[in-house]
Amino acid sequence: MDKTSVEQEQGNGISVVINTYNASCHLQQVLDTVKGFDEVVVCDMESADDTLDIAKRNGCKIVVFPRGSYQICEPARQTAIDAASCKWVLVVDADELVTPALKQYLYSLIGKEDAPQGLYVPRKSRFMGRFMHCFYPDYQLRFFIRKDTVWPAVIHADPIIKGRIEKIPATHADMALVHLADDSIASRMGKINQYTANEIEKKKDRNYGMAALFYRPLVRFFRAYIQKGGFRDGKEGFICACYEGIYQFVAVSKIIEDRLKNKKGK
């Protein structure tokens, strides 16, 4: 019996979990990179394209989460995790590739007695046609023990994991998730409006004032352009860093607006 079969019997294998909604654009590429894992679970939010057909052709385990009025995938994350059968879960978005080096590392990790219960994985992303230093390592808490893990239903939330959490060093770029999305100015603007609307619920208890409208965008720009090396990416890097600051300005503005509306309504 080979190593993978033994792991499945012992429940110590790895389930790859993918949340989808109209994800046919990149899904086949993604599924090609997760072949060989013990299980692939696709949790679909009622796609209208051929996402489910692709998942079925690739032998994925499929569960459905009612989309309703949700504009984000986080409410469906827990359903996807709960549908997994293996002890360990790797959460992959429908536009992210898993490298062979990452797969090999994860399987070697779960064989260790002192393995952490959670692991941050770096991610490479693109903007205006090129890899962005200001995004990297963009750590994502995507690998963990399934039992007792809870994923909050709010945008950009990390799962709540019981136990020790470690990071794959950023120097191991060969183990980074590869984000296929290549944002343009137009798509970036659309995401800013969509994501910041969901930040309101996540940060509704923050008492932001005038100062936050200045320092939060500036700090985010400085971090992206100077600390993370966005200056190495030319014009695109400067533009990208500016949009990082704009995101913070819009998010804080919407949170302040929501708070003022609630005060007037009382």
Side-chain angles (χ1 to χ4, degrees):
M1 185 178 292
D2 62 24
K3 175 177 177 289
T4 300
S5 298
V6 171
E7 286 177 340
Q8 278 190 305
E9 284 191 354
Q10 295 175 344
N12 194 39
I14 301 174
S15 294
V16 174
V17 167
I18 306 173
N19 288 88
T20 59
Y21 175 68
N22 289 349
S24 62
C25 180
H26 300 299
L27 186 58
Q28 186 59 59
Q29 285 180 268
V30 175
L31 293 177
D32 286 342
T33 69
V34 297
K35 290 178 179 177
F37 281 91
D38 297 287
E39 178 183 53
V40 179
V41 179
V42 169
C43 180
D44 188 68
M45 298 179 75
E46 301 180 322
S47 292
D49 63 1
D50 59 346
T51 293
L52 288 180
D53 291 334
I54 295 171
K56 290 174 183 176
R57 287 200 301 269
N58 284 269
C60 301
K61 179 179 181 179
I62 298 171
V63 293
V64 176
F65 183 91
R67 178 172 172 78
S69 61
Y70 292 122
Q71 299 298 314
I72 56 176
C73 69
E74 279 77 10
R77 293 286 199 195
Q78 192 65 50
T79 298
I81 293 167
D82 291 342
S85 304
C86 297
K87 177 179 178 180
W88 295 87
V89 168
L90 173 64
V91 175
V92 178
D93 281 349
D95 59 357
E96 293 173 344
L97 306 181
V98 177
T99 66
L102 176 58
K103 178 185 174 185
Q104 181 179 6
Y105 178 79
L106 296 179
Y107 272 105
S108 67
L109 184 71
I110 66 174
K112 298 178 180 178
E113 291 185 3
D114 62 343
Q117 284 68 48
L119 187 69
Y120 279 100
V121 181
R123 181 171 69 172
K124 298 177 181 178
S125 295
R126 299 172 66 83
F127 177 68
M128 294 178 67
R130 66 182 295 170
F131 164 76
M132 285 286 121
H133 288 88
C134 69
F135 286 150
Y136 191 78
D138 189 22
Y139 276 114
Q140 307 289 316
L141 186 50
R142 298 287 192 81
F143 188 67
F144 46 81
I145 291 178
R146 174 174 54 83
K147 184 179 179 182
D148 297 327
T149 293
V150 177
W151 200 302
V154 293
I155 192 168
H156 296 157
D158 279 340
I160 300 170
I161 298 167
K162 291 184 178 180
R164 190 173 88 256
I165 300 174
E166 295 183 357
K167 288 182 177 180
I168 295 177
T171 51
H172 291 292
D174 60 332
M175 298 180 191
L177 293 167
V178 179
H179 197 195
L180 293 173
D182 187 357
D183 280 350
S184 62
I185 298 295
S187 63
R188 187 69 172 163
M189 288 295 291
K191 288 181 178 180
I192 286 174
N193 191 48
Q194 177 187 348
Y195 293 165
T196 54
N198 289 288
E199 291 275 10
I200 296 172
E201 179 62 25
K202 183 179 179 181
K203 298 180 179 178
K204 62 183 179 181
D205 296 328
R206 305 286 180 90
N207 190 28
Y208 290 137
M210 284 290 292
L213 291 168
F214 287 94
Y215 78 80
R216 289 190 66 84
L218 287 174
V219 167
R220 184 58 67 93
F221 172 85
F222 180 82
R223 185 181 301 163
Y225 195 64
I226 304 299
Q227 290 184 328
K228 290 191 172 184
F231 61 87
R232 290 180 285 176
D233 297 321
K235 297 185 296 293
E236 296 94 330
F238 180 76
I239 293 170
C240 186
C242 285
Y243 274 103
E244 289 290 285
I246 290 169
Y247 181 96
Q248 287 297 309
F249 182 83
V250 175
V252 172
S253 299
K254 287 185 177 182
I255 292 166
I256 292 174
E257 179 186 45
D258 183 70
R259 187 174 69 240
L260 292 175
K261 284 181 178 179
N262 289 333
K263 283 183 177 180
K264 291 177 181 178
K266 290 181 179 179

